[in-house]
Amino acid sequence: MPIFKVNIKRLLQDKLNLFLTIVLPAIIIVLSVAFASNIESPYKVGIVVEEENSISKIIKSELQKCFDVVVFSKDKSIVSQMIQTGVDCAIVLDKNIEDAMLSRKNIKLKIYALGKSEAHVYLKEYLTSVFKMILSQNFSSKAELLNVAKSLSTSSPKVISKKLVENSKYISISFASGFFVMSLFWLALNASSVLLKDYHEKVIIRILCSPLSKQNYIFQSILSIFAVTFVQLCLFVGISKYVFNLTFGSNPAIVILVLSLCSFMFVSFSVMFISTVSDIKKLSSLNSMVVTIMCMLGGCYWPLSIMPKFLQKIALIFPTTYAVNLTKNVLTGKFIESMMVDIALVAAFCLFFALAGIKQLSKNVISKL
């Protein structure tokens, strides 16, 4: 396989580029996952009560079941109190919250967050579930509302610290998973540029004058690009297992298999994308635009749950959405049986991108020589 060997040498010959695109991202992501796996303390949140009433007391009590709650003064700056106390985020309980519940209106939460802490995501989801549980009951007066809220608060199981730690790890690893998917995607797009360079430097002409067929050339090129991304994911799994002793609760072979499927999907997409690009000078900016848009809407930078509903629906057409789901689930030790839908969708994307990429490459690039 001469093309495969030559491309591997070309892609790995620049030591600095090798370190920046393969080694460094793998190390950073491993450190992120290792940090997330060692979370021990619950989140610390602030609470501002605009008007003290029975409902606000119950909500405060619910929050204290799973958060380290600090009560803020409503007369002082929320931001300054957050900085002084070092809380992850703060929530404001509106004085009209009882009236909103009685009229069964949507309760809009005012949540303040500093930095890049994901505490506000978990806090919002937790309080939303509490409000939905209360509003699902029958009541027509403040007294009945209070009885319902007290009853649910008393009978609901306490959220123990262990459960909070598990959710904290899950959200943290979700962010690390997003950056890992972005890194694989970026590496695949950059590595696929060898195909465009072969076209512009007329290397393909010399190659196709040999007994090598164009199908064989394309196959070996795709395989060489995948091999480079495979090195990165093996490095990630290897460092995780043998340096930080992280097993993700799964067989390492399953982790590598699932991540390899995601990697091949990005390689196939990159080949399809590169076949439509004619100007190599614009390639870098186009790669940046594609990675940013697909990763942003695919859940790599933030959870899809905090995005507007219409954007969540749009996200379903992007392959990054399913790659992030798979990566997140395999890193948190989910059983492979629970990932079969996402695996099937990623496999379908692989097949579509591979066939479309080979066809477009033959039509738009090789046939023009």
Side-chain angles (χ1 to χ4, degrees), residues 29 171-185 266 295 298-302 320 323-325 327-328 331:
I29 297 164
I171 295 176
S172 299
I173 290 179
S174 296
F175 282 93
S177 302
F179 285 114
F180 181 72
V181 168
M182 182 185 69
S183 176
L184 273 182
F185 192 11
F266 291 133
C295 289
C300 292
Y301 300 153
W302 45 69
T320 43
V324 170
N325 286 343
T327 306
K328 177 174 58 180
L331 294 186

Side-chain angles (χ1 to χ4, degrees), residues 16-271:
L16 179 60
N17 187 54
L18 173 65
F19 176 77
L20 293 176
T21 59
I22 298 179
V23 179
L24 186 60
I27 294 174
I28 292 175
I29 297 164
V30 168
L31 291 174
S32 300
V33 175
F35 175 76
S37 300
N38 286 303
I39 294 176
E40 295 179 355
S41 58
Y43 288 122
K44 187 177 182 181
V45 302
I47 181 171
V48 180
V49 181
E50 290 187 347
E51 184 178 298
E52 192 76 28
N53 53 50
S54 299
I55 292 296
S56 64
K57 290 180 180 178
I58 291 174
I59 294 174
K60 189 194 304 181
S61 174
E62 286 295 313
L63 290 176
Q64 288 172 338
K65 291 180 180 179
C66 60
F67 293 99
D68 183 4
V69 177
V70 178
V71 179
F72 284 175
S73 170
K74 63 180 180 180
D75 300 320
K76 296 181 181 180
S77 168
I78 295 176
V79 175
S80 63
Q81 291 182 85
M82 291 177 68
I83 296 173
Q84 291 171 5
T85 56
V87 303
D88 299 297
C89 64
I91 182 170
V92 178
L93 295 182
D94 193 274
K95 61 182 179 181
N96 298 318
I97 192 168
E98 282 188 356
D99 295 332
M101 285 186 173
L102 284 170
S103 59
R104 299 186 180 277
K105 294 180 180 178
N106 290 330
I107 300 173
K108 296 182 179 179
L109 300 173
K110 294 180 182 178
I111 299 179
Y112 296 81
L114 294 177
K116 298 181 179 179
S117 171
E118 68 277 4
H120 67 284
V121 178
Y122 185 67
L123 175 63
K124 182 179 179 180
E125 291 179 351
Y126 179 71
L127 276 181
T128 300
S129 66
V130 170
F131 292 148
K132 284 183 178 179
M133 185 169 58
I134 294 175
L135 294 176
S136 65
Q137 307 300 311
N138 292 321
F139 53 83
S140 57
S141 64
K142 284 190 176 182
E144 291 178 355
L145 170 62
L146 181 59
N147 289 333
V148 166
K150 284 182 177 179
S151 175
L152 290 174
S153 177
T154 303
S155 60
S156 62
K158 184 177 180 180
V159 181
I160 58 175
S161 177
K162 181 180 178 182
K163 182 66 177 176
L164 177 63
V165 169
E166 290 175 356
N167 282 278
S168 303
K169 290 180 180 179
Y170 186 81
I171 295 176
S172 299
I173 290 179
S174 296
F175 282 93
S177 302
F179 285 114
F180 181 72
V181 168
M182 182 185 69
S183 176
L184 273 182
F185 192 11
W186 183 257
L187 180 59
L189 276 173
N190 282 338
S192 64
S193 64
V194 296
L195 294 168
L196 199 57
K197 289 178 181 177
D198 285 349
Y199 170 74
H200 282 277
E201 295 172 4
K202 308 299 181 182
V203 174
I204 295 181
I205 296 179
R206 297 194 295 272
I207 292 174
L208 296 183
C209 288
S210 67
L212 190 71
S213 65
K214 65 179 182 181
Q215 291 81 8
N216 199 350
Y217 165 76
I218 296 173
F219 171 74
Q220 291 190 44
S221 297
I222 292 175
L223 195 60
S224 63
I225 298 168
F226 171 72
V228 174
T229 60
F230 186 75
V231 169
Q232 187 186 69
L233 68 89
C234 284
L235 186 63
F236 165 70
V237 175
I239 296 176
S240 299
K241 179 175 176 57
Y242 297 107
V243 178
F244 291 94
N245 198 29
L246 302 175
T247 60
F248 314 121
S250 302
N251 188 324
I254 294 178
V255 177
I256 292 177
L257 182 64
V258 171
L259 296 183
S260 296
L261 185 64
C262 296
S263 175
F264 187 77
M265 178 181 68
F266 291 133
V267 171
S268 303
F269 175 86
S270 300
V271 172

